[in-house]
Amino acid sequence: MRQELTTDGIDRYIEATPEALYAIVSDVTRTPEMSPEVVKCTWIKPATGPAVGARFKAINNVGHGPSWPNKPVVVTADPGREFAFARTELGAGTVEWRYRFVAEGTGTRVYESYLVTKQLKLLGWFIIDTLYRLKDRQTDLRRGMTQTLERLAQLAENVPQTHNA
């Protein structure tokens, strides 16, 4: 079955500064603390942190079926404002994931979204549908974004914030 996947996004208010939230999200080694599908992330040398063009290796798992690696590239690294990366997989097209941070009141409105910039091939949908049994990938991704921002809020709001006087 070929599913339709184009773009989606959610937002959440978090009681933390844009800079603090950016620091957590852009440290991709912390992604497994937030994402329900990412089990490991490491920077690929020579990258050691977020910068446009930096690559990292991510290992994903949806709870059934085998884990799979991918190697996203950072496409936006604007501290305190925006962090984005593009992930291309064989037969699975290209998906760009984006986090925007907008100061609001005493905290930040965080926007997480994805945009499919290269559609998945039929083989990719076959694998998603049969091997991973993901019958509604759009709903799965929306649920994952909600969980990611919930976990980001827990991480950020439990960390003491320092303020310069």
Side-chain angles (χ1 to χ4, degrees):
M1 178 182 120
R2 185 179 182 128
Q3 302 178 46
E4 187 66 32
L5 196 61
T6 55
T7 187
D8 197 7
I10 66 165
D11 66 274
R12 179 190 174 117
Y13 176 84
I14 299 176
E15 192 62 48
T17 66
E19 294 77 16
L21 292 164
Y22 175 90
I24 295 169
V25 170
S26 66
D27 179 357
V28 299
T29 64
R30 297 192 69 183
T31 303
E33 296 176 59
M34 296 169 285
S35 171
E37 290 190 10
V38 179
V39 295
K40 184 175 182 181
C41 275
T42 54
W43 291 108
I44 297 173
K45 291 182 180 184
T48 58
V52 173
R55 294 192 79 90
F56 57 97
K57 182 177 181 180
I59 306 294
N60 291 61
N61 188 293
V62 292
H64 48 275
S67 296
W68 71 93
N70 56 85
K71 294 180 180 174
V73 60
V74 175
V75 296
T76 306
D78 188 359
R81 293 190 178 143
E82 190 169 38
F83 179 72
F85 57 89
R87 190 262 315 125
T88 300
E89 292 182 36
L90 183 64
T94 301
V95 180
E96 188 173 286
W97 288 90
R98 184 167 304 279
Y99 297 85
R100 288 189 308 114
F101 310 94
V102 179
E104 181 179 302
T106 59
T108 303
R109 177 75 47 191
V110 180
Y111 298 86
E112 180 181 6
S113 63
Y114 69 84
L115 172 65
V116 176
T117 59
K118 182 178 177 189
Q119 287 295 320
L120 282 71
K121 306 267 189 224
L122 284 175
L123 174 62
W125 283 120
F126 176 78
I127 291 168
I128 287 170
D129 191 47
T130 57
L131 183 61
Y132 293 102
R133 301 184 310 273
L134 299 171
K135 305 299 183 190
D136 185 353
R137 194 62 179 136
Q138 185 171 358
T139 298
D140 296 337
L141 293 176
R142 178 169 270 274
R143 186 179 307 114
M145 288 188 291
T146 300
Q147 290 175 342
T148 296
L149 293 189
E150 286 172 2
R151 293 173 181 174
L152 175 60
Q154 291 170 352
L155 287 170
E157 292 171 349
N158 290 329
V159 175
Q161 304 245 343
T162 58
H163 299 282
N164 295 335

